[in-house]
Amino acid sequence: MSELRQRLGREPDGAEEKESELENKLDGETASDSESKSEFGGAPPAPTSDDTPEVLNRALSNLSSRWKNWWVRGILTLAMIAFFFIIIYLGPMVLMMIVMCVQIKCFQEIITIGYNVYRSYELPWFRTLSWYFLLCVNYFFYGETVTDYFFTLVQREEPLRILSKYHRFISFALYLTGFCMFVLSLVKKHYRLQFYMFGWTHVTLLIVVTQSHLIIHNLFDGMIWFIVPISCVICNDIMAYMFGFFFGRTPLIKLSPKKTWEGFIGGFFATVLFGLLLSYLMSGYRCFTCPVEFNNDSNSFTVDCEPSELFQLQEYNIPLVIQSVIRWKTVRMYPFQIHSIALSTFASLIGPFGGFFASGFKRAFKIKDFANTIPGHGGIMDRFDCQYLMATFVNVYIASFIRGPNPSKLIQQLLALRPDQQVHIFNTLKAHLVDKGMLANSEDA
């Protein structure tokens, strides 16, 4: 009887086999996945190695691996925050260049994962076409930005005016060239793999290039719309790690086993408080609140304006329930601080799902990090997986609740019209103002 029990303990019955197969399917280890692995060139990429600087390794050699990792992450996080302050000090042009560099590095990290799989078949042009499509998409997006925000400069220079006029046609022609090159590169017996990689490149462009373009658009609405959202994501990442490190007990999601509910909740409250304080500090400075505009006289960016109502202190009545606790009836704060609550809430509750998405992606390819760029943190994409999702939200939020018609852009567009079109718009606007009683009728006078 005991032997029978031992056999049952070692050899699962039919029901247990079905359950085991189901678990394997959920884990992605099905037969079809094995077939896909063989088609993609065998073994998955190896996990990244430890590239912690030797100085830190020696200094922290007496600590356990848990505390060593804590100190390495902490020191390099402070270094990255210091670098962030430096590029903010250097101004919007440097920020745009940094965004461009980050975009290229993130694209390279994701494409490299695909290339490691793809090169085993020695099929042509994958990396060449990937970088060519990156060039095409950047040409389209940055060309649109230049035309939109540097309109007067573009109209002043004849070559730029011609490029601006036919910008979309040129962009389409460039993309069409790459499309034809891809079709010509198709190799018999590997069609499906090549189309996998074609989709891989385009999804990467959608995730990386489009989002970085939105980050630059947010920057033009005022550096505060760039700094506060990015800082909220950084704060949530740090505080969720701290709360999880010291108090974490309850796992949050299977995709990221180290994430805990304690870290998730603690990061939320810390991020909301941080967003309120940072918004209060920045709302009083025009260099952060004014839109970034191009000055045609000095050929440089300017951030000087009369602050909008969002950045003027106002008095708000405190609800009666809270009054009984804090003994205050009113509070003076900037309206932007109220918007910062929405930004920090998204950064702490929805933003982490960008990280979960990246975790699932890395698990699918059995890799720990996208690259070894930053010791203790992985690649650049590992640090910006939540930032891209945040950038989209901020852009949509500004377009939905903040941004109105821009008079300076309208005037620039009017000045580019033919004289007869300008006269027609002038007469139409004049008649409209007369009908509203805002302008006296010259005939009555």
Side-chain angles (χ1 to χ4, degrees), residues 217-241:
H217 266 254
N218 299 340
L219 177 61
F220 276 109
D221 284 295
M223 289 183 67
I224 196 169
W225 291 104
F226 173 87
I227 297 171
V228 170
I230 286 180
S231 300
C232 284
V233 172
I234 294 172
C235 173
N236 182 71
D237 193 33
I238 294 172
M239 297 311 297
Y241 177 77

Short mmCIF file of all heavy atoms in Angstrom, two decimals, residues 217-241:
data_model
loop_
_atom_site.label_atom_id
_atom_site.label_comp_id
_atom_site.label_asym_id
_atom_site.label_seq_id
_atom_site.Cartn_x
_atom_site.Cartn_y
_atom_site.Cartn_z
N HIS A 217 6.64 67.57 -27.23
CA HIS A 217 5.46 68.43 -27.31
C HIS A 217 5.07 68.93 -25.93
O HIS A 217 4.69 70.09 -25.76
CB HIS A 217 4.29 67.67 -27.95
CG HIS A 217 4.19 67.88 -29.43
ND1 HIS A 217 3.23 68.67 -30.01
CD2 HIS A 217 4.96 67.44 -30.44
CE1 HIS A 217 3.39 68.70 -31.32
NE2 HIS A 217 4.44 67.95 -31.61
N ASN A 218 5.15 68.05 -24.92
CA ASN A 218 4.84 68.48 -23.55
C ASN A 218 5.82 69.55 -23.09
O ASN A 218 5.44 70.50 -22.39
CB ASN A 218 4.92 67.28 -22.60
CG ASN A 218 3.93 66.19 -22.94
OD1 ASN A 218 2.94 66.44 -23.63
ND2 ASN A 218 4.17 64.99 -22.47
N LEU A 219 7.07 69.42 -23.49
CA LEU A 219 8.09 70.39 -23.11
C LEU A 219 7.77 71.77 -23.67
O LEU A 219 7.97 72.79 -23.00
CB LEU A 219 9.45 69.91 -23.61
CG LEU A 219 10.66 70.82 -23.39
CD1 LEU A 219 10.88 71.05 -21.91
CD2 LEU A 219 11.90 70.22 -24.02
N PHE A 220 7.25 71.85 -24.89
CA PHE A 220 6.92 73.14 -25.48
C PHE A 220 5.77 73.84 -24.76
O PHE A 220 5.63 75.06 -24.86
CB PHE A 220 6.55 72.96 -26.97
CG PHE A 220 7.75 72.94 -27.87
CD1 PHE A 220 8.16 71.77 -28.49
CD2 PHE A 220 8.49 74.08 -28.11
CE1 PHE A 220 9.26 71.73 -29.33
CE2 PHE A 220 9.59 74.07 -28.94
CZ PHE A 220 9.99 72.89 -29.55
N ASP A 221 4.94 73.10 -24.05
CA ASP A 221 3.85 73.71 -23.28
C ASP A 221 4.34 74.28 -21.96
O ASP A 221 3.57 74.87 -21.21
CB ASP A 221 2.74 72.68 -23.01
CG ASP A 221 1.88 72.43 -24.22
OD1 ASP A 221 1.19 73.37 -24.64
OD2 ASP A 221 1.91 71.32 -24.76
N GLY A 222 5.60 74.10 -21.65
CA GLY A 222 6.18 74.59 -20.41
C GLY A 222 7.00 73.49 -19.77
O GLY A 222 6.57 72.34 -19.72
N MET A 223 8.17 73.85 -19.27
CA MET A 223 9.06 72.83 -18.71
C MET A 223 8.43 72.13 -17.51
O MET A 223 8.81 71.00 -17.19
CB MET A 223 10.40 73.46 -18.33
CG MET A 223 11.24 73.86 -19.53
SD MET A 223 12.85 74.54 -19.11
CE MET A 223 13.64 73.10 -18.39
N ILE A 224 7.48 72.78 -16.86
CA ILE A 224 6.83 72.16 -15.70
C ILE A 224 6.04 70.92 -16.10
O ILE A 224 5.94 69.96 -15.35
CB ILE A 224 5.91 73.19 -14.98
CG1 ILE A 224 5.56 72.69 -13.57
CG2 ILE A 224 4.67 73.50 -15.81
CD1 ILE A 224 4.89 73.74 -12.71
N TRP A 225 5.52 70.92 -17.35
CA TRP A 225 4.78 69.76 -17.85
C TRP A 225 5.71 68.63 -18.26
O TRP A 225 5.27 67.51 -18.48
CB TRP A 225 3.92 70.16 -19.05
CG TRP A 225 2.78 71.05 -18.69
CD1 TRP A 225 2.68 72.39 -18.90
CD2 TRP A 225 1.55 70.67 -18.06
NE1 TRP A 225 1.49 72.87 -18.44
CE2 TRP A 225 0.77 71.82 -17.92
CE3 TRP A 225 1.04 69.46 -17.61
CZ2 TRP A 225 -0.49 71.82 -17.34
CZ3 TRP A 225 -0.23 69.44 -17.04
CH2 TRP A 225 -0.98 70.61 -16.90
N PHE A 226 6.98 68.95 -18.35
CA PHE A 226 8.00 67.93 -18.64
C PHE A 226 8.61 67.41 -17.34
O PHE A 226 8.76 66.19 -17.14
CB PHE A 226 9.09 68.55 -19.53
CG PHE A 226 10.28 67.67 -19.76
CD1 PHE A 226 10.30 66.75 -20.78
CD2 PHE A 226 11.41 67.77 -18.96
CE1 PHE A 226 11.41 65.94 -21.00
CE2 PHE A 226 12.53 66.98 -19.16
CZ PHE A 226 12.52 66.05 -20.19
N ILE A 227 8.95 68.33 -16.43
CA ILE A 227 9.68 67.95 -15.22
C ILE A 227 8.80 67.24 -14.20
O ILE A 227 9.19 66.20 -13.64
CB ILE A 227 10.34 69.20 -14.60
CG1 ILE A 227 11.36 69.79 -15.57
CG2 ILE A 227 11.01 68.86 -13.27
CD1 ILE A 227 11.90 71.14 -15.14
N VAL A 228 7.61 67.78 -13.93
CA VAL A 228 6.76 67.20 -12.88
C VAL A 228 6.34 65.76 -13.20
O VAL A 228 6.49 64.88 -12.34
CB VAL A 228 5.53 68.10 -12.62
CG1 VAL A 228 4.51 67.39 -11.72
CG2 VAL A 228 5.96 69.41 -11.98
N PRO A 229 5.84 65.45 -14.40
CA PRO A 229 5.47 64.05 -14.68
C PRO A 229 6.66 63.09 -14.59
O PRO A 229 6.54 62.00 -14.00
CB PRO A 229 4.91 64.10 -16.10
CG PRO A 229 4.48 65.50 -16.30
CD PRO A 229 5.44 66.33 -15.52
N ILE A 230 7.81 63.48 -15.16
CA ILE A 230 8.98 62.62 -15.10
C ILE A 230 9.43 62.42 -13.66
O ILE A 230 9.76 61.31 -13.23
CB ILE A 230 10.12 63.21 -15.97
CG1 ILE A 230 9.79 63.02 -17.45
CG2 ILE A 230 11.45 62.55 -15.63
CD1 ILE A 230 10.85 63.55 -18.39
N SER A 231 9.41 63.51 -12.88
CA SER A 231 9.82 63.42 -11.47
C SER A 231 8.87 62.56 -10.67
O SER A 231 9.30 61.84 -9.75
CB SER A 231 9.91 64.83 -10.86
OG SER A 231 10.85 65.63 -11.55
N CYS A 232 7.57 62.61 -10.98
CA CYS A 232 6.60 61.78 -10.26
C CYS A 232 6.85 60.30 -10.53
O CYS A 232 6.74 59.47 -9.61
CB CYS A 232 5.18 62.16 -10.68
SG CYS A 232 4.59 63.70 -9.94
N VAL A 233 7.18 59.95 -11.78
CA VAL A 233 7.48 58.55 -12.09
C VAL A 233 8.75 58.11 -11.36
O VAL A 233 8.81 57.00 -10.80
CB VAL A 233 7.65 58.36 -13.62
CG1 VAL A 233 8.16 56.96 -13.94
CG2 VAL A 233 6.33 58.60 -14.33
N ILE A 234 9.76 58.98 -11.34
CA ILE A 234 11.00 58.66 -10.63
C ILE A 234 10.73 58.48 -9.14
O ILE A 234 11.21 57.53 -8.51
CB ILE A 234 12.05 59.76 -10.87
CG1 ILE A 234 12.47 59.79 -12.34
CG2 ILE A 234 13.28 59.54 -9.99
CD1 ILE A 234 13.36 60.97 -12.71
N CYS A 235 9.96 59.42 -8.56
CA CYS A 235 9.64 59.33 -7.13
C CYS A 235 8.88 58.05 -6.82
O CYS A 235 9.18 57.36 -5.83
CB CYS A 235 8.81 60.55 -6.72
SG CYS A 235 8.18 60.48 -5.03
N ASN A 236 7.88 57.71 -7.66
CA ASN A 236 7.12 56.49 -7.41
C ASN A 236 7.99 55.25 -7.50
O ASN A 236 7.85 54.32 -6.68
CB ASN A 236 5.97 56.39 -8.43
CG ASN A 236 5.11 55.17 -8.19
OD1 ASN A 236 4.36 55.10 -7.22
ND2 ASN A 236 5.22 54.19 -9.07
N ASP A 237 8.91 55.24 -8.46
CA ASP A 237 9.81 54.10 -8.61
C ASP A 237 10.69 53.94 -7.37
O ASP A 237 10.87 52.83 -6.85
CB ASP A 237 10.69 54.31 -9.85
CG ASP A 237 11.43 53.04 -10.25
OD1 ASP A 237 10.89 51.95 -10.04
OD2 ASP A 237 12.56 53.15 -10.75
N ILE A 238 11.21 55.07 -6.87
CA ILE A 238 12.08 55.02 -5.69
C ILE A 238 11.30 54.63 -4.44
O ILE A 238 11.72 53.74 -3.68
CB ILE A 238 12.78 56.38 -5.49
CG1 ILE A 238 13.74 56.66 -6.65
CG2 ILE A 238 13.53 56.42 -4.16
CD1 ILE A 238 14.32 58.06 -6.64
N MET A 239 10.16 55.31 -4.21
CA MET A 239 9.42 55.08 -2.97
C MET A 239 8.77 53.71 -2.94
O MET A 239 8.68 53.08 -1.87
CB MET A 239 8.37 56.17 -2.79
CG MET A 239 8.96 57.58 -2.65
SD MET A 239 10.30 57.69 -1.43
CE MET A 239 9.46 57.25 0.07
N ALA A 240 8.30 53.22 -4.11
CA ALA A 240 7.74 51.86 -4.15
C ALA A 240 8.83 50.84 -3.81
O ALA A 240 8.58 49.86 -3.10
CB ALA A 240 7.14 51.59 -5.53
N TYR A 241 10.04 51.09 -4.31
CA TYR A 241 11.17 50.20 -4.00
C TYR A 241 11.50 50.26 -2.51
O TYR A 241 11.74 49.22 -1.87
CB TYR A 241 12.38 50.60 -4.83
CG TYR A 241 13.62 49.78 -4.53
CD1 TYR A 241 13.76 48.49 -5.00
CD2 TYR A 241 14.65 50.31 -3.75
CE1 TYR A 241 14.89 47.74 -4.72
CE2 TYR A 241 15.79 49.57 -3.46
CZ TYR A 241 15.90 48.28 -3.95
OH TYR A 241 17.02 47.54 -3.66
#
